[in-house]
Amino acid sequence: MNETPQLLLSHHLKALKLPTFLREYDKLARQCAAEGDDHTRYLLRLAELELIDRERRMVERRIKAARFPTVKSIDSFDFNAIASLNKMLVMELARCDYVNRNENVIAVGNSGTGKTHVALALGLAACQKGVPVGFITASALVHELLEARDDKRLLRLQKQLARVRLLIIDELGYVPLSPTGAELLFEVFSQRYERGSTIVTSNLPFDEWTSVFGSERLTGALLDRLTHHVHILEMNGDSYRLAQSRKAAKPLRDPETD
């Protein structure tokens, strides 16, 4: 028995990897017929649906590949809670032009002021703009580098990190690094210099980074590369996390007791 046109069409659309075409073509055909759209407009609308859905799936894949611990957006950040933060600069960075120029971003401030939230939000914005992103804490990255060195796959890992267009390194300064770990992390920054963009969050001002890297020479060389093309986000103030927790826990007023 010959296959029906519907079965053949389904087979061809699957082979062409057009899942939205397959899912929507029949429903949209009836809708276009009811609205009097010709075949060209029908195909245009169908193609637009496919492109929109394809872009959505690509963004989802980039978000998954970035390994974000959680997804945060700029819209969900309360800029009023951190008066020192330049909102206009953050909104400009969300356009991702700095990535095209291989520039860096450093968010510096005391603990709990939302540095990770902003870094994650900029990472999400980059994923939505088509930029491959990677997220990792400084301590986890050093651990991976040390393991890769011991397993004789350090060069492969370094190449993988260098290929990421936007690398987010969170919580630099929370844990002092061993001399070997500091040198390996320095190599990551050095290999990305003017070849890719890096976002760093740190609870330490620059003049205290020596306490993390253990060497003034290494720290100076690192800051020289990292701050050559950089946007600095000052994020000092009261704890953003504590303020958000208090806001979430605030009981609703009982109108009868007002």
Side-chain angles (χ1 to χ4, degrees):
M1 182 181 294
N2 292 331
E3 293 183 278
T4 65
Q6 286 83 0
L7 285 175
L8 286 171
L9 180 58
S10 176
H11 175 270
H12 295 336
L13 290 174
K14 288 177 182 178
L16 290 168
K17 297 181 179 174
L18 297 171
T20 309
F21 261 65
L22 178 59
R23 187 177 65 249
E24 301 290 342
Y25 81 89
D26 189 48
K27 179 177 68 176
L28 189 59
R30 291 195 299 271
Q31 183 178 339
C32 286
E35 295 173 3
D37 287 339
D38 61 20
H39 68 280
T40 302
R41 175 126 355 228
Y42 163 66
L43 289 172
L44 174 62
R45 290 173 63 176
L46 200 53
E48 287 173 343
L49 288 174
E50 184 68 52
L51 286 172
I52 291 169
D53 201 44
R54 182 171 296 183
E55 178 58 29
R56 178 189 58 78
R57 295 194 303 270
M58 290 176 67
V59 170
E60 289 176 351
R61 285 196 292 269
R62 284 191 289 268
I63 292 172
K64 184 177 180 180
R67 298 196 298 179
F68 296 136
T70 184
V71 176
K72 298 283 188 179
S73 68
I74 289 175
D75 292 340
S76 65
F77 188 83
D78 182 8
F79 286 92
N80 294 324
I82 305 296
S84 63
L85 180 59
N86 186 338
K87 180 179 178 179
M88 293 297 293
L89 176 56
V90 175
M91 301 307 290
E92 175 65 25
L93 291 172
R95 297 174 57 185
C96 298
D97 293 338
Y98 73 98
V99 178
N100 297 327
R101 298 189 296 264
N102 296 322
E103 296 171 350
N104 303 318
V105 178
I106 303 177
V108 180
N110 46 295
S111 181
T113 52
K115 299 182 298 296
T116 300
H117 185 142
V118 170
L120 287 167
L122 291 177
L124 175 62
C127 287
Q128 292 169 337
K129 294 283 188 179
V131 176
V133 179
F135 179 97
I136 193 168
T137 64
S139 59
L141 176 56
V142 169
H143 180 72
E144 286 192 16
L145 290 165
L146 289 169
E147 276 196 345
R149 183 203 58 171
D150 294 341
D151 296 341
K152 302 189 186 318
R153 52 181 178 83
L154 178 59
L155 184 60
R156 185 165 74 247
L157 177 57
Q158 288 175 330
K159 288 181 177 178
Q160 289 173 351
L161 292 168
R163 283 196 298 266
V164 177
R165 285 189 63 199
L166 176 61
L167 180 63
I168 302 173
I169 300 178
D170 195 31
E171 297 183 345
L172 180 66
Y174 286 78
V175 180
L177 305 177
S178 66
T180 303
E183 290 177 3
L184 289 172
L185 185 56
F186 170 79
E187 280 299 313
V188 172
F189 287 115
S190 183
Q191 289 168 1
R192 295 185 61 77
Y193 177 59
E194 296 190 327
R195 298 185 183 92
S197 292
T198 307
I199 296 178
V200 178
T201 73
S202 179
N203 63 322
L204 297 178
F206 294 140
D207 58 4
E208 295 183 25
W209 282 27
T210 304
S211 64
V212 179
F213 289 91
S215 164
E216 289 187 8
R217 176 192 60 81
L218 192 65
T219 305
L222 168 65
L223 286 173
D224 182 58
R225 289 163 173 77
L226 194 57
T227 62
H228 184 202
H229 307 289
V230 71
H231 303 274
I232 297 175
L233 300 176
E234 296 279 357
M235 298 185 65
N236 282 303
D238 296 332
S239 173
Y240 177 83
R241 282 196 296 268
L242 182 58
Q244 293 297 298
S245 297
R246 285 173 175 167
K247 186 182 293 186
K250 187 176 181 180
L252 294 174
R253 293 189 306 170
D254 186 346
E256 296 184 1
T257 63
D258 282 352

